[in-house]
């Protein structure tokens, strides 16, 4: 309450001044009275009183100053005092501030990413009103059917607006008619400006009647694509752009900001009137009316959905479906990435703890030499509380200095990691940066750190025994109990560093495993793309295809063209390429009983004979396809090793025949089966979309025997694949004018992209672990140096009594190593815990990863030995006579 | 001014103790009375500077260790009277203990050094 009184005094300074004046005048009057009584003349009496008093104005100022200085200046005085103390020992100050900056920087960096990714409110006006309606099937989140959306929109009262963002992705068409990668979406008119509340930078949003068939060839584009692709053309509105090779008129450019970070470059309009059936699915996004709660909206939508379900007549399965109204938030991220980020935050938290332990240690060492100063102060009337507050102020001053540098460092780390290690194409709509929340977080952890490590010297000071300290003079007495606090802190530091190093070791091990996965093919210098027939005429009609023989002829011509492109060494066509997913196609083994209810399934693709050479796939048994396996010759098939293991375990696969539905010209005729002779077994190729999944059983037939119209192509190049893309596009344009190139990509990039998240985790984890190692080493070094300095006398005595220099060094090193080993031991237990946490994000690494644990423990041990040996070496340089004479 | 902070702080402990002790003994007293009392009680050995006393009184009051009220003196003048609060009494005890330690320490040094 005293604080409030002082602060209040600040505002009524004049009143306080007047009161002080009155009091001082009273004092002078009382003195004058006494002087008069003692027999002085009135003038003399007053003069004496005034003289004794000194300058009353100055005194008044000082009385008033006692006031304000107690409130604020008291703190500033402590801060100034702390700064002076720091300037007096720059080595200590720089080490401590750097250690703190190293601890705080990574926290700021990781938190700024986490804040933007998971915690920040979405950057839209009143984003708390934005909701998503999810359809759930057996607990799994699904898109909502457009028909249901139309009913929700028509019947609900909870929403200002309800929009749908269709999952049907549209692609821009490049000038050479190939398809651009970035996909746009179809949305109901008003979604951007009215529901999301993002205004247009140019032009307008869709009109309410735009989006019906025949009136849906308009587009709004993001600011980013406007700049990057259309060179910020100020006249873009009204111009036509090609989407799926059809002209769409640009009606608006969305304001720069959040929509640039969603990865959706453009939108086209879509209107879904209730009662008109379409096969769209999508995200239903709405804005609640003010005052309507999520629960109310949920209740209303559930009622509508139950009514719809009874009309839909979904039958037995109805109970598997449900709907939920949820806050719109950034929860579309890969779980692994999400987990990685939180793990990283834990890791940097540990780094900060190590930094705190480090600084606490430095303060303890310094506190020993300040004991006398503190003893004198407390003897002169400073209370324990006052000394504690002063020491805490010093710690917090240190922390703030470290925090400022740490924030700058964190900004650098954040920018660097965002630039070098893109987590994903779009992690969050909120911008990653140093905003108010991040700064508050930084200030919070800085103060917390200051209080945390500030307790150490405070605790030390509170144990100060006054008369002992004053009696002893400056000589510090050795002995283990004097440094027990420091020993504990060093052990903690080493243990925490061990945990972090173990995490980094496991991340590294996992990444090494990922980099050495047997893909089954050589990704280097392979360029792939899929071909899609150019849409002709009205959409939705069943396409017709020429007979298979004709398709084969066209494919031969296409392949010849691709092979003729300069730089291309081999080319192949196939219905699917590795790492792009697989299907499950039913088959039967000839001569074995047919299981109609649960037939065996395998991935089924048709490939040209050159496929194996182009991808560098090895043969395990039998033979590859040959050019002479054609329509009319014996139908042949190849299977992979997994297929053999799973379905043909006890037979010679080369003697078996497989029964498959008849296929020709884009049709699969399940009524008729064809018999294929297995002629070869190839080495397993990763066909799923993740590097880490199991290999599926696979069956390949020759494309020359199938004549399938939809294909992808792959070319192996002798040069950098980027150099041949122009030639390849040209070859396709000539040989397959009816085809659009889709997803032209380097196979190596596809593989690398799979490892992006893991690389991000590994590099950052490794970097933070290195910081931890450094801090721990500095901590050990500091304690050892202090111990050597304190035990100079003892060492001198030992040496005078005949101890050899080497023995003395060994003695000192042993003391340090005991702490390091204890720390490593404790850290191993923590590492096991971390391993369990990290387990799901790692590949091929046990939660107790003995190999990497041993490796990092060894590294830590060696660093600890070095950090002990360097200061211990100094003890050998002690001159016994000198050391003893110091007494 | 920064250079003067330290010694002043250290002396405060002693002055505070003297004021505490005086007020504990006399109950309620004005600044001038405190000066007089210390002088008398120390057999004229200690003389408190008015220039240090009033800032100290003000600071102690702000810390809640002493409380003040205006009242009339025997000579019918208005003066500000101070008295110890409960917190002040605790503070007195601590100040006395630290001072005893100081004295013991100094004495020890004087004896052996």
């Amino acid at each position: 309450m005293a604080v409030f009184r002082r602060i209040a005094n600040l505002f009524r300074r004049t009143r306080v001044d007047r009161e002080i004046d009155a009091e001082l005048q009273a004092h002078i009057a009382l003195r004058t009275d006494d002087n008069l009584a003692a027999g002085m003349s009135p003038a003399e009496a007053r003069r004496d009183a005034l003289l004794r008093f000194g300058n009353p104005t100055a005194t008044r100022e000082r009385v008033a100053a006692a006031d304000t200085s107690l409130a604020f200046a008291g703190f500033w005085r402590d801060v100034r005092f702390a700064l002076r103390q720091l300037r007096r020992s720059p080595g200590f100050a720089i080490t401590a501030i750097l250690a703190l900056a190293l601890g705080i920087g990574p926290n700021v960096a990781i938190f700024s990413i986490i804040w933007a990714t998971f915690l920040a409110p979405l950057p839209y006006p009143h984003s708390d009103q934005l909701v998503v309606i999810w359809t759930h099937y057996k607990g799994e989140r699904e898109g909502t059917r457009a028909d249901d959306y139309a009913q929700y929109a028509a019947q609900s009262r909870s929403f200002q607006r309800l929009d749908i963002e269709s999952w049907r992705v549209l692609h821009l068409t490049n000038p050479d008619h190939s398809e651009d990668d970035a996909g746009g979406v179809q949305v109901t008119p008003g979604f951007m400006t009215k529901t999301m509340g993002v205004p247009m930078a140019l032009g307008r949003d869709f009109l309410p009647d735009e989006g019906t068939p025949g009136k849906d060839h308009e587009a709004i584009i993001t600011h980013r694509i406007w700049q990057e692709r259309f060179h910020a053309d100020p006249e873009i509105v009204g111009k036509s752009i090609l989407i799926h090779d059809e002209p769409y008129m640009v009606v608006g450019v969305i304001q720069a900001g959040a929509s640039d970070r969603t990865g959706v470059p453009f939108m086209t309009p879509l209107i879904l009137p209730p009662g008109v059936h379409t096969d769209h699915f999508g995200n239903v996004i709405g804005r609640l009316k003010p005052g309507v709660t999520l629960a109310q909206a949920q209740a209303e939508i559930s009622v509508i959905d139950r009514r719809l379900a009874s009309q839909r007549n979904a039958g037995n399965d109805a109970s598997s479906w449900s709907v939920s109204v949820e806050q719109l938030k950034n929860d579309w991220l890969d779980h692994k990435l999400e987990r990685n980020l939180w793990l990283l935050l834990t890791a940097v938290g540990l780094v900060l703890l190590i930094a705190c332990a480090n600084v606490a240690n430095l303060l303890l060492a310094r506190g020993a030499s300040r004991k006398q100063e503190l003893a004198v102060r407390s003897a002169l009337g400073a209370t324990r509380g006052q000394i504690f507050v002063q020491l805490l102020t010093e710690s917090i001053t240190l922390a703030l200095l470290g925090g400022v540098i740490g924030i700058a460092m964190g900004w650098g780390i954040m920018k660097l990691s965002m630039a070098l290690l893109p987590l994903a194409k779009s992690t969050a709509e909120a911008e990653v940066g140093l905003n108010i929340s991040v700064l508050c977080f930084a200030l919070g952890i800085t103060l917390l750190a200051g209080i945390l490590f500030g307790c150490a010297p405070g605790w030390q000071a509170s144990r100060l025994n006054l008369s002992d300290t004053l009696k002893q003079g400056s000589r510090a007495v050795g002995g283990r109990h004097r440094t027990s606090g420091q020993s504990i802190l060093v052990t903690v530091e080493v243990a925490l560093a061990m945990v972090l190093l173990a995490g980094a070791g496991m991340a590294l091990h996992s990444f090494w495993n990922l980099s050495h996965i047997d893909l089954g093919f050589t990704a280097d210098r392979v360029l792939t793309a899929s071909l899609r027939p150019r849409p002709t005429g009205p959409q939705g009609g069943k396409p017709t295809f020429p007979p298979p023989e004709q398709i084969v002829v066209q494919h031969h011509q296409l392949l010849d063209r691709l092979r003729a492109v300069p730089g291309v060494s081999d080319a192949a066509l196939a219905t699917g390429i590795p790492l792009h997913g697989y299907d499950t196609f039913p088959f039967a083994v000839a001569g074995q009983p047919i299981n109609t209810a649960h037939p065996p399934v395998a991935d089924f693709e048709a490939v040209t004979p050159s496929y194996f050479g182009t991808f560098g796939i090895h043969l395990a048994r039998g033979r590859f396809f040959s050019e002479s396996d054609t329509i009319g010759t014996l139908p042949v098939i190849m299977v992979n090793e997994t297929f053999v293991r799973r379905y043909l375990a006890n037979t010679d696969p080369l003697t078996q025949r497989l029964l498959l539905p008849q296929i020709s010209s884009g049709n699969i005729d399940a009524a008729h089966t064809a018999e294929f002779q297995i002629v070869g077994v190839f080495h397993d190729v990763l066909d799923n979309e993740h590097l880490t999944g199991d290999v599926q059983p696979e069956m390949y037939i020759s494309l020359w025997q199938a004549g399938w119209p939809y294909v992808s192509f792959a070319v192996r190049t002798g040069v950098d694949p980027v150099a041949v893309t122009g030639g390849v596009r040209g070859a396709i344009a000539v040989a397959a004018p009816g085809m659009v190139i889709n997803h032209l990509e380097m196979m190596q990039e596809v593989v690398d992209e799979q490892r992006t998240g893991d690389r991000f985790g590994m590099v950052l984890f490794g970097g933070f672990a290195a910081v931890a190692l450094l801090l721990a080493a500095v901590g050990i070094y500091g304690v050892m140096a202090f111990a050597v300095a304190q035990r100079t006398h003892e060492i001198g005595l030992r040496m005078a009594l005949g101890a050899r220099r080497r023995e003395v060094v060994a003695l000192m090193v042993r003391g340090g190593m005991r702490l390091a080993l204890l720390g490593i031991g404790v850290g191993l237990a923590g590492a096991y815990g971390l391993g369990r946490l990290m387990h799901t994000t790692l590949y091929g690494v046990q939660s107790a990863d003995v190999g990497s644990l041993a490796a990092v423990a060894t590294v830590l041990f060696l660093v600890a030995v070095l950090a002990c040996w360097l200061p211990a070496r100094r003890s050998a340089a002690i001159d016994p006579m000198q050391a003893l004479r110091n007494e | 001014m920064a250079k003067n902070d330290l010694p002043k702080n250290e002396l405060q402990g002693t002055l505070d103790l003297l004021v505490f002790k005086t007020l504990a003994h006399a109950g309620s007293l004005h600044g001038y009375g405190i000066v007089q009392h210390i002088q008398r009680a120390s057999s004229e050995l200690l003389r408190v500077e008015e220039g240090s006393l009033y800032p100290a009184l003000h600071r102690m009051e702000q810390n809640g260790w002493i409380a003040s009220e205006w009242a009339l003196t025997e000579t019918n003048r208005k003066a500000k009277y101070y008295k110890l609060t409960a917190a002040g009494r605790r503070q007195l005890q601590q100040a006395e203990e630290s001072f005893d330690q100081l004295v013991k320490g100094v004495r020890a040094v004087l004896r052996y050094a």
Side-chain angles (χ1 to χ4, degrees):
Chain A
M1 299 331 101
V3 175
F4 295 123
R5 196 159 58 220
R6 282 174 211 144
I7 293 171
N9 280 353
L10 285 178
F11 298 104
R12 40 189 190 90
R13 177 73 196 265
T14 49
R15 232 203 72 193
V16 172
D17 275 356
R18 228 180 296 135
E19 189 174 335
I20 294 169
D21 259 345
E23 187 180 14
L24 299 184
Q25 291 308 327
H27 182 105
I28 292 168
L30 284 168
R31 169 78 71 187
T32 312
D33 288 350
D34 278 4
N35 284 348
L36 281 173
M40 290 187 193
S41 71
E44 212 179 344
R46 179 147 180 87
R47 191 171 163 268
D48 176 72
L50 283 173
L51 266 182
R52 277 179 188 248
F53 202 87
N55 182 348
T57 315
T59 306
R60 189 191 67 200
E61 279 307 313
R62 282 172 57 202
V63 174
D67 221 61
T68 40
S69 78
L70 277 173
F72 297 109
F75 175 71
W76 285 120
R77 189 188 56 215
D78 279 355
V79 168
R80 275 204 313 276
F81 184 66
L83 286 174
R84 243 189 348 265
Q85 292 284 351
L86 292 180
R87 221 176 313 146
R88 211 170 288 164
S89 38
F92 158 78
I94 290 171
T95 314
I97 290 171
L98 273 185
L100 282 170
L102 281 175
I104 291 169
N107 277 281
V108 171
I110 296 301
F111 183 78
S112 61
I113 296 175
I114 286 195
W115 172 262
T117 311
F118 306 119
L119 306 175
L122 292 181
Y124 302 107
H126 299 288
S127 62
D128 54 318
Q129 291 175 341
L130 292 172
V131 294
V132 194
I133 301 181
W134 289 110
T135 300
H136 296 263
Y137 178 68
K138 294 189 173 164
E140 288 286 314
R141 215 159 69 167
E142 301 270 345
T144 300
R145 287 183 344 132
D147 298 5
D148 292 344
Y149 156 74
Q151 294 299 337
Y152 298 155
Q155 297 180 33
S156 68
R157 295 285 166 271
S158 300
F159 307 92
Q160 298 179 38
R161 290 181 52 86
L162 204 54
D163 290 274
I164 189 165
E165 193 182 44
S166 172
W167 281 4
R168 199 176 289 166
V169 176
L170 301 173
H171 292 272
L172 285 174
T173 307
N174 292 317
D176 63 352
H177 296 293
S178 64
E179 201 166 76
D180 197 77
D181 274 354
V185 296
Q186 290 169 274
V187 297
T188 37
F191 170 72
M192 197 35 82
T193 49
K194 299 211 173 89
T195 301
M196 302 311 280
V198 179
M200 292 286 147
L202 286 176
R204 57 166 175 84
D205 199 357
F206 301 123
L207 299 177
D209 63 334
E210 284 171 338
T212 43
K215 207 180 177 187
D216 56 357
H217 276 39
E218 280 104 8
I220 54 177
I221 61 177
T222 62
H223 193 267
R224 183 161 151 190
I225 190 178
W226 174 59
Q227 290 200 311
E228 286 175 2
R229 205 184 160 102
F230 302 108
H231 315 292
D233 177 5
E235 307 289 314
I236 186 83
V237 172
K239 285 195 180 160
S240 168
I241 60 175
L242 282 181
I243 296 171
H244 284 239
D245 242 355
E246 292 175 34
Y248 278 68
M249 191 176 79
V250 176
V251 298
V253 176
I254 305 167
Q255 198 181 57
S259 56
D260 291 326
R261 291 186 283 271
T262 56
V264 176
F266 68 90
M267 297 176 180
T268 64
L270 173 71
I271 289 181
L272 298 165
V276 180
H277 173 72
T278 66
D279 52 2
H280 279 281
F281 271 83
N283 303 322
V284 176
I285 296 174
R287 185 176 275 282
L288 292 175
K289 282 183 183 159
V292 175
T293 63
L294 265 186
Q296 289 166 338
Q298 168 77 63
E300 187 188 39
I301 290 296
S302 294
V303 168
I304 296 172
D305 192 63
R306 258 196 302 280
R307 202 155 54 219
L308 290 179
S310 59
Q311 289 164 12
R312 272 202 296 264
N313 212 357
N316 297 338
D317 215 17
S319 61
S320 304
W321 294 91
S322 64
V323 289
S324 70
V325 181
E326 294 172 23
Q327 198 82 50
L328 180 65
K329 56 176 188 275
N330 187 36
D331 58 356
W332 337 73
L333 280 181
D334 180 18
H335 282 297
K336 190 169 155 182
L337 185 80
E338 206 169 310
R339 243 183 121 76
N340 261 337
L341 276 176
W342 287 113
L343 270 173
L344 278 175
L345 191 68
T346 315
V348 293
L350 293 183
V351 173
L352 183 60
L353 274 184
I354 295 178
C356 282
N358 220 324
V359 178
N361 236 330
L362 288 169
L363 286 172
L364 283 182
R366 209 170 75 108
S369 58
R370 288 180 67 186
K371 249 186 268 178
Q372 277 205 303
E373 172 206 333
L374 297 180
V376 167
R377 294 179 68 123
S378 96
L380 288 169
T383 62
R384 277 191 182 160
Q386 283 170 330
I387 289 183
F388 189 86
V389 166
Q390 183 219 324
L391 289 173
L392 199 62
T393 311
E394 286 187 36
S395 304
I396 286 175
T397 308
L398 254 188
L400 288 174
L401 288 173
V404 169
I405 300 178
I407 287 172
M409 197 184 271
W411 182 82
I413 297 173
M414 181 261 291
K415 284 285 171 201
L416 205 66
S417 53
M418 292 305 283
L420 294 183
L421 308 152
L423 279 168
K425 278 188 183 117
S426 51
T427 41
E429 285 146 280
E431 196 166 16
V432 178
L434 282 187
N435 47 40
I436 275 292
S437 316
V438 174
L439 288 177
C440 282
F441 171 81
L443 185 68
I445 59 168
T446 298
L447 290 179
L448 198 67
I451 291 168
L452 202 59
F453 66 70
C455 282
W459 165 78
Q460 191 187 35
S462 71
R463 298 197 325 165
L464 206 59
N465 185 324
L466 261 183
S467 46
D468 275 2
T469 311
L470 285 171
K471 252 187 273 179
Q472 275 162 13
S474 67
R475 189 165 67 82
V477 173
R480 213 157 285 155
H481 69 282
R482 294 265 161 198
T483 52
S484 65
Q486 281 165 280
S487 302
I488 293 170
L489 284 172
V490 164
T491 310
V492 167
E493 268 184 67
V494 174
L496 290 175
M498 178 66 208
V499 173
L500 271 176
L501 282 171
M506 287 187 283
L508 190 74
H509 189 180
S510 166
F511 192 75
W512 197 88
N513 286 344
L514 272 181
S515 313
H516 289 78
I517 283 175
D518 181 11
L519 300 171
F521 65 93
T522 318
D524 187 32
R525 282 186 292 140
V526 174
L527 185 73
T528 66
S530 61
L531 295 175
R532 211 170 37 80
R534 191 181 299 288
T536 46
Q539 283 183 341
K542 198 170 170 61
T544 51
F545 294 103
E549 290 81 0
Q550 206 176 323
I551 295 176
V552 169
V553 170
Q554 285 169 0
H555 283 166
H556 265 295
Q557 288 166 352
L558 176 60
L559 209 52
D560 290 341
R561 282 276 179 192
L562 285 173
R563 285 197 174 113
V565 172
V568 169
S569 57
D570 205 352
L573 299 180
T575 51
I577 37 189
L579 289 179
H580 282 76
Y582 57 87
D583 57 20
T584 45
F585 200 84
F587 69 94
V589 180
Q592 289 187 2
I594 293 171
N595 181 347
T596 43
H598 295 286
V601 292
D603 181 37
F604 182 47
E605 309 289 351
V607 303
T608 58
S610 56
Y611 182 83
F612 299 94
T614 304
F615 278 105
I617 298 168
H618 299 293
L619 186 68
R621 297 191 60 183
R623 67 167 175 91
F624 284 128
F625 297 131
S626 84
E627 293 294 331
S628 54
D629 296 319
T630 56
I631 295 171
T633 67
L634 175 73
V636 291
I637 194 164
M638 291 180 72
V639 294
N640 68 352
E641 290 168 323
T642 299
F643 185 99
V644 173
R645 258 197 310 277
R646 191 170 304 173
Y647 297 123
L648 303 169
N650 299 315
T651 57
D652 176 3
L654 299 183
T655 62
Q656 301 296 314
R657 283 162 293 126
L658 301 182
L659 300 173
L660 291 159
Q662 193 114 46
I663 57 167
S664 72
S665 292
N667 286 313
I668 296 172
D669 182 1
H672 298 87
T673 55
E675 225 177 55
F676 289 85
Q677 175 67 45
I678 298 178
V679 292
V681 178
F682 60 93
H683 186 59
D684 284 343
V685 173
L686 271 185
D687 241 6
N688 36 9
E689 284 163 318
H690 301 289
L691 292 178
T692 51
D694 290 331
V695 174
Q696 300 300 311
E698 287 166 38
M699 313 179 285
Y700 288 1
I701 59 168
S702 174
L703 193 64
W704 297 156
Q705 288 189 325
W708 191 254
Y710 302 110
V711 289
S712 296
F713 71 82
V715 296
R716 171 165 292 280
T717 63
V719 294
D720 182 7
V722 179
V724 303
T725 50
V728 166
R729 284 185 191 279
I732 302 288
V734 173
M739 292 290 181
V740 174
I741 298 181
N742 214 349
H743 301 306
L744 188 67
E745 53 198 5
M746 317 297 153
M747 208 60 211
Q748 190 62 50
E749 277 178 9
V750 176
V751 175
D752 287 343
E753 204 171 302
Q754 293 281 343
R755 301 187 186 124
T756 310
D758 297 270
R759 189 187 298 121
F760 179 83
M762 177 195 65
V763 171
L764 285 186
F765 225 120
F768 298 147
V771 171
L773 184 63
L774 177 77
L775 288 173
V778 168
I780 297 173
Y781 180 95
V783 165
M784 286 308 292
F786 182 68
V788 169
Q790 276 217 319
R791 291 170 74 180
T792 304
H793 175 68
E794 177 202 334
I795 292 167
L797 200 61
R798 281 176 190 270
M799 286 167 76
L801 291 174
R804 293 191 194 158
R805 286 174 196 282
R806 191 186 302 167
E807 287 165 356
V808 168
V809 174
L811 172 80
M812 300 307 294
V813 170
R814 259 203 308 280
M817 290 323 296
R818 225 192 335 260
L819 301 182
L821 282 175
L822 184 62
I824 291 175
V826 174
L828 277 172
Y832 178 70
L834 182 69
R836 292 183 62 112
L837 273 179
M838 286 177 71
H839 190 60
T840 51
T841 71
L842 297 176
Y843 175 69
V845 177
Q846 301 298 313
S847 40
D849 184 22
V850 180
S852 67
L853 283 182
V856 297
T858 310
V859 170
L860 186 55
F861 181 77
L862 291 178
V863 169
V865 168
L866 190 69
C868 283
W869 181 71
L870 284 177
R873 206 179 38 152
R874 250 190 276 156
S875 67
I878 290 171
D879 175 2
M881 288 322 289
Q882 197 79 44
L884 291 175
R885 214 178 288 135
N886 265 346
E887 278 314 287
Chain B
M1 107 164 228
K3 286 223 167 60
N4 292 331
D5 280 357
L6 193 57
K8 199 167 73 195
N9 281 351
E10 286 166 356
L11 285 173
Q12 259 168 22
T14 322
L15 180 57
D16 288 5
L17 179 58
L18 294 175
V19 172
F20 279 139
K21 206 64 193 169
T22 304
L23 291 180
H25 176 80
S28 180
L29 212 54
H30 47 69
Y32 180 68
I34 293 172
V35 173
Q36 296 295 80
H37 179 267
I38 290 175
Q39 206 167 335
R40 260 200 318 276
S42 68
S43 321
E44 313 287 323
L45 280 174
L46 296 177
R47 250 185 66 181
V48 177
E49 292 284 327
E50 282 87 345
S52 330
L53 176 69
Y54 284 99
L57 283 175
H58 201 76
R59 179 173 47 76
M60 290 165 81
E61 186 184 1
Q62 295 300 341
N63 278 329
W65 298 335
I66 55 180
S68 70
E69 58 181 351
W70 286 90
L72 285 179
T73 66
E74 311 95 89
T75 53
N76 220 14
R77 287 193 182 278
K78 261 188 87 185
K80 203 173 178 186
Y81 276 76
Y82 295 92
K83 63 169 191 271
L84 273 185
T85 62
R89 250 171 253 288
R90 277 197 300 277
Q91 198 62 30
L92 165 63
Q93 211 175 338
Q94 278 187 26
E96 249 176 321
E97 275 166 22
S98 337
F99 187 76
D100 282 348
Q101 296 284 354
L102 174 69
V103 170
K104 265 189 221 162
V106 172
R107 198 166 287 149
V109 174
L110 289 177
R111 198 175 306 147
Y112 298 112

